[in-house]
Amino acid sequence: MATSPITKQDDQTGVSPNCDSRDGAQVIWFLLHTQEGDGDAQSLAHYLQNADSGVSYHYTVDNSGTVIDVVDTDKSAWAVLSGNPRSINLCFAGSRVAWTREEWFSNMQAGIDCAAWIAVQDARKYGIPIRTITPEQLGNDEAGIADHNAYTIGKHKGTHTDVGPNFPWDYLNSKLAEYNEL
C-alpha cells in the first residue's frame, strides 16, 4: 500500500498576488510545467510571490519531495493564458524541457511521484478524470491531466513546449494508477 511521497509540504497560499478568481469556471485540467531555471520548490515559490514576476502556479515541487502550495486551487494561477480559470498548475522546480528521459528520472523522479499524488487528490476534489489527455483532447475541452505543451497545441495559444518530449508519461500514468487505488 503506497503512502504519500511528499516529505515536506508548506502552505504559502495567500502570499502571491499573481492570482484571480475563477469566476465560476469549472476546473477541468491539471497541467504540468517546467521551470527552465535552477532552484528548488521554495526558491521558485519565492519568485512566484513577487508581483513583478507576472506568473504563478498552484504548486512548486522539487526532487527532495518538497511541495510548496503557492496559490489556493480555488483561485486561478497565472500559468496558461486563457486556460488559467479552468486549470490547476504544478511546476517542477529546477526542471528543463530539454531533459532526456534519463535526466527526468535522475533529477525529478521523486518530484514526479509528488506531482502524481497531488494530481490524484485534486482530481478527486474537482471531479477531473484521473487520466492523461492528448493535446487534441485538451483542445476539445476534455478533462484530464496534461502539460503546458498540450495547452499550446490544443488551444493554439502561446509558444510553451513544457514539459518536453522526453517526459516519462508512462511512469506518471503508473503512479497515477497506484495512488488512485488508495
Side-chain angles (χ1 to χ4, degrees):
M1 178 84 48
T3 59
S4 172
I6 297 170
T7 58
K8 176 185 176 190
Q9 188 162 11
D10 192 6
D11 183 350
Q12 298 180 18
T13 57
V15 178
S16 178
N18 304 330
C19 59
D20 295 306
S21 165
R22 290 192 183 277
D23 291 324
Q26 180 183 5
V27 176
I28 62 171
W29 303 310
F30 188 98
L31 302 178
L32 304 175
H33 303 265
T34 55
Q35 180 181 356
E36 298 305 311
D38 297 324
D40 59 18
Q42 183 56 64
S43 65
L44 177 55
H46 181 72
Y47 174 75
L48 301 171
Q49 293 162 348
N50 178 343
D52 293 336
S53 73
V55 65
S56 62
Y57 303 102
H58 294 95
Y59 305 100
T60 60
V61 175
D62 65 32
N63 205 39
S64 74
T66 297
V67 175
I68 306 296
D69 301 353
V70 180
V71 172
D72 188 297
T73 57
D74 287 337
K75 293 187 175 187
S76 175
W78 296 354
V80 287
L81 305 169
S82 62
N84 291 335
R86 303 179 78 195
S87 60
I88 295 172
N89 296 278
L90 178 145
C91 188
F92 295 107
S95 63
R96 303 216 181 323
V97 166
W99 278 356
T100 65
R101 179 178 173 88
E102 294 74 26
E103 287 172 312
W104 273 105
F105 281 114
S106 62
N107 296 324
M108 198 56 69
Q109 185 169 355
I112 295 169
D113 293 352
C114 292
W117 180 269
I118 294 166
V120 167
Q121 306 314 307
D122 282 350
R124 288 176 178 162
K125 177 180 178 181
Y126 291 97
I128 301 168
I130 300 171
R131 65 177 185 141
T132 54
I133 57 173
T134 66
E136 293 74 24
Q137 289 170 311
L138 188 146
N140 291 327
D141 291 335
E142 292 184 41
I145 300 161
D147 64 353
H148 199 152
N149 185 56
Y151 180 84
T152 300
I153 294 169
K155 291 298 183 182
H156 309 286
K157 294 181 181 177
T159 59
H160 287 249
T161 60
D162 51 319
V163 290
N166 299 314
F167 183 81
W169 288 101
D170 57 330
Y171 179 76
L172 177 73
N173 282 322
S174 72
K175 298 310 279 187
L176 291 169
E178 177 184 344
Y179 298 147
N180 192 32
E181 296 282 319
L182 302 178

